[in-house]
Amino acid sequence: MIPLSILDLSMVTTGTPPAAALRNSIDLARHADALGYVRYWLAEHHNLSSVASPAPDIMIGQIAAVTKHIRVGSGGVMLPNHAPLMVAERFKMLEALFPGRIDLGIGRAPGTDQATAHALRRRLEVREGDDFLERLQELTLWETRGFPPGHPYNNVIAMPNDVPLPPIWLLGSSDYSSELSAQVGMGFAFAHHFASFDAADALVHYRAHFRPSRWRSTPHGILAVAAVVAETDDEAERLASSMDLNRLRRDRGQYSPLPSVEEALAYPYTDSERASIARNRDKLFVGSPATVLQMLQPMIAASQADELMVITAVYDHEARKRSYSMLADAFQLQRAAA
């Protein structure tokens, strides 16, 4: 069956402070490594009380150091926040330390609000408009050494220079990212869990228009989804109630820690709020292993995805680990040898 991977936000809950959330991420990565998951990606978000990790490169190093088989990467580095040379240097260092196990996933959004984005960039050169393509080109030029003759950067080397950049993946939730990934010949990961664009259209378009490049010879599309798996449909619904309330609050601009199941079940929902939660369930797959597998299979087939990446943001850490265990069994992952 299709390979499985994990996207982790290092979720903060009302009972799990940020430092503990980071340690939970390391624990979950060890668990995923043993279960046979292919990748473990960390997101970059800033000024969100619900997300503990603003620096995926630091977490990648910590997780790669305590795992053996799983690839570890960024899902992603928000390139507008960083000098391309800095990204190249940090990920070449990670590749040198953990050869063949690092992924460089790149996003074009800031991953935060406007004020925080300004604070992140105020000491950097400020350019008008969307300069993502320019930054992406510069990042690749540090690897290819393709700066024009006489360019001042010809005398600058991204160290360590005896290792390549890890594989580059472009992340997105629209047709723009799909088209760009195909044109430049890179891997593509589609964020179904918050996209308004159709996942199947994006991934099929990417595959159909992919151009081989020095970065990839063949297309590879990752479908990222949100899912909650438990022993029964009812138990999965109970666990997912935290995500339902959290999503409702996020839609109102309230990025608070993930609430407990008890708080979510006790919340006095209005009819309009329940309708909003029902609509949001289009982005969340909930149920027993058999139920979730049955729900996911049509989308996997329609999108022609090469890989399924799952985010499970439930309140209880052990319940989250069990969810990934049951999903691994449902997809018949090959567990790593003890």
Side-chain angles (χ1 to χ4, degrees):
M1 298 185 85
I2 191 170
L4 294 185
S5 296
I6 291 177
L7 174 62
D8 183 18
L9 301 183
S10 299
M11 288 293 297
V12 180
T13 77
T14 54
T16 309
L22 295 175
R23 291 191 290 271
N24 283 346
S25 289
I26 294 174
D27 180 60
L28 179 60
R30 286 197 190 100
H31 184 63
D33 193 33
L35 290 173
Y37 280 80
V38 175
R39 302 175 209 278
Y40 196 98
W41 280 6
L42 291 306
E44 175 188 342
H45 290 288
H46 303 271
N47 192 33
L48 296 180
S49 59
S50 56
V51 179
S53 175
D57 52 330
I58 294 177
M59 288 297 293
I60 289 168
Q62 294 295 312
I63 287 173
V66 299
T67 54
K68 295 180 179 180
H69 310 286
I70 199 167
R71 298 189 65 93
V72 191
S74 53
V77 166
M78 299 295 103
L79 195 54
N81 300 335
H82 307 280
L85 175 59
M86 184 73 75
V87 176
E89 289 177 333
R90 291 180 177 179
F91 277 81
K92 284 167 79 72
M93 282 186 65
L94 289 166
E95 181 66 24
L97 294 170
F98 310 101
R101 291 185 54 212
I102 304 300
D103 291 325
L104 172 52
I106 295 173
R108 60 189 287 256
T112 189
D113 58 275
Q114 290 185 349
T116 307
H118 181 268
L120 287 166
R121 306 174 198 172
R122 67 186 299 262
R123 300 296 182 184
L124 302 176
E125 178 185 1
V126 178
R127 304 172 190 176
E128 294 297 326
D130 184 351
D131 64 349
F132 176 76
L133 288 177
E134 184 179 346
R135 287 174 179 268
L136 178 62
Q137 182 183 37
E138 183 179 321
L139 174 64
T140 60
L141 287 174
W142 290 115
E143 181 69 8
T144 63
R145 305 304 305 159
F147 292 106
H151 196 286
Y153 290 174
N154 276 325
N155 297 320
V156 181
I157 299 174
M159 294 293 288
N161 66 343
D162 61 338
V163 296
L165 269 178
I168 300 175
W169 300 79
L170 299 187
L171 318 182
S173 57
S174 68
D175 55 343
Y176 174 89
S177 302
S178 170
E179 180 68 32
L180 178 60
S181 301
Q183 286 183 359
V184 298
M186 294 178 178
F188 175 50
F190 184 82
H192 169 268
H193 54 291
F194 62 79
S196 56
F197 194 81
D198 183 74
D201 284 352
L203 285 161
V204 169
H205 181 91
Y206 161 71
R207 181 176 297 280
H209 294 84
F210 180 85
R211 299 176 183 175
S213 70
R214 68 167 289 150
W215 311 108
R216 289 197 69 90
S217 59
T218 58
H220 191 103
I222 298 177
L223 173 62
V225 302
V228 178
V229 181
E231 288 83 355
T232 66
D233 290 349
D234 287 344
E235 176 60 15
E237 288 287 344
R238 193 182 76 85
L239 294 174
S241 64
S242 292
M243 296 180 72
D244 290 336
L245 179 56
N246 189 59
R247 176 62 186 266
L248 188 66
R249 289 170 170 169
R250 280 171 48 205
D251 289 345
R252 297 170 177 168
Q254 302 170 6
Y255 291 87
S256 52
L258 190 72
S260 67
V261 169
E262 291 73 20
E263 180 183 351
L265 293 177
Y267 184 87
Y269 296 99
T270 65
D271 290 342
S272 63
E273 288 173 334
R274 293 187 184 280
S276 178
I277 288 173
R279 288 192 299 271
N280 289 334
R281 278 301 185 92
D282 289 342
K283 306 298 180 188
L284 179 59
F285 300 88
V286 180
S288 67
T291 297
V292 170
L293 183 62
Q294 185 179 27
M295 295 169 69
L296 285 170
Q297 282 178 329
M299 179 177 290
I300 293 170
S303 67
Q304 302 175 28
D306 298 289
E307 188 176 323
L308 186 70
M309 182 170 281
V310 181
I311 176 171
T312 300
V314 297
Y315 181 83
D316 181 72
H317 179 59
E318 292 303 319
R320 180 164 67 146
K321 290 170 67 176
R322 288 193 297 273
S323 179
Y324 281 118
S325 293
M326 286 183 280
L327 199 63
D329 290 339
F331 279 84
Q332 301 175 10
L333 297 193
Q334 185 67 44
R335 293 176 182 253

